[in-house]
Amino acid sequence: MDYYGREMSSLIGELSKLPGIGPKTAQRLAFHIIRQDEEDVERLAHSITEAKKKIRYCNVCGTLTDTETCPICSSPRRNQAMIMVVETTQDLAAYEKTGRYNGVYHVLHGAISSSLGIGPGDIRLKELLVRLQGEVEEVIIATNSTLDGEATAMYISRLIKPTGIKVSRIANGVPVGGDLECVDEMTLVRALDGRTLL
Ligand code: ZN
């Protein structure tokens, strides 16, 4: 199988471990990299290793950041008493792009899924409950409108209700089965404005 020599095969092998990259794409990327200037390749390699070294999870909301507390959680201009619960950092980014949300977030890093065997203990729910002991007025549940996202929303609302804190769910404007990050900005704004109390 070593048609291209050991180094090239190893590069193709590493690239094909990336999600969504099959052997053919890995091969195309490897050839592209080899044709690039050494400087460009060094820059790429450098940003990969630096990102891995410096990017961490915010100690409050759990999003990816390069500071201990992310800029949203440490901003005095954001309403720290309003927490929007999302599945991923990409979902957070989608809402931030709309520029219409002034609260803070809580990133679960997943959703409860009976089919995938992901339980409540596997996502960042404990951390959410800890945050609710502070000054919180409303929790907006913005998990995806997939089966897993809905099950997670239900679970969270049951968890929060006894605390007396307001719990709401974003409106059904988000297409069923669609990842939040693929939804256009207007749809997200409508989903947020049309949220209903649980
Ligand atoms: Zn944060």
Side-chain angles (χ1 to χ4, degrees):
M1 288 293 280
D2 242 0
Y3 312 117
Y4 305 122
R6 208 177 49 186
E7 294 302 333
M8 192 64 175
S9 296
S10 138
L11 177 57
I12 294 169
E14 289 306 317
L15 289 168
S16 63
K17 288 181 194 165
L18 297 171
I21 308 288
K24 270 194 181 149
T25 309
Q27 205 167 301
R28 202 168 61 234
L29 288 173
F31 275 97
H32 172 79
I33 289 169
I34 295 310
R35 278 194 304 266
Q36 272 188 313
D37 291 339
E38 200 159 332
E39 252 173 55
D40 290 335
V41 177
E42 299 244 315
R43 205 174 309 126
L44 172 66
H46 185 74
S47 50
I48 292 172
T49 46
E50 286 300 292
K52 184 62 195 164
K53 251 189 276 176
K54 291 186 180 153
I55 294 176
R56 54 171 106 183
Y57 297 112
C58 169
N59 59 2
V60 181
C61 71
T63 196
L64 288 178
T65 177
D66 37 23
T67 48
E68 210 168 294
T69 307
C70 79
I72 297 171
C73 289
S74 43
S75 168
R77 285 188 297 274
R78 306 290 295 232
N79 179 0
Q80 303 283 338
M82 185 183 265
I83 300 178
M84 187 196 287
V85 179
V86 293
E87 291 184 21
T88 65
T89 287
Q90 290 97 310
D91 293 340
L92 176 155
Y95 274 103
E96 279 301 283
K97 264 189 244 159
T98 69
R100 290 277 294 270
Y101 177 67
N102 190 44
V104 293
Y105 298 90
H106 189 82
V107 184
L108 294 172
H109 293 292
I112 297 169
S113 168
S114 47
S115 58
L116 297 173
I118 300 169
D122 300 318
I123 56 177
R124 298 182 64 256
L125 282 176
K126 258 200 313 268
E127 291 86 342
L128 177 64
L129 290 180
V130 170
R131 290 180 75 184
L132 296 185
Q133 286 163 13
E135 298 268 302
V136 179
E137 282 160 17
E138 182 178 356
V139 174
I140 303 169
I141 306 175
T143 50
N144 292 344
S145 47
T146 53
L147 271 182
D148 292 345
E150 293 297 347
T152 308
M154 195 104 83
Y155 188 90
I156 295 173
S157 92
R158 276 201 214 115
L159 214 56
I160 299 177
K161 267 195 180 160
T163 67
I165 295 168
K166 201 158 113 185
V167 194
S168 60
R169 174 83 172 118
I170 54 162
N172 281 333
V174 181
V176 174
D179 278 4
L180 280 184
E181 52 171 320
C182 303
V183 175
D184 71 86
E185 292 179 19
M186 270 322 292
T187 309
L188 285 185
V189 169
R190 272 199 298 269
L192 182 58
D193 289 346
R195 68 183 182 274
T196 44
L197 274 182
L198 294 176

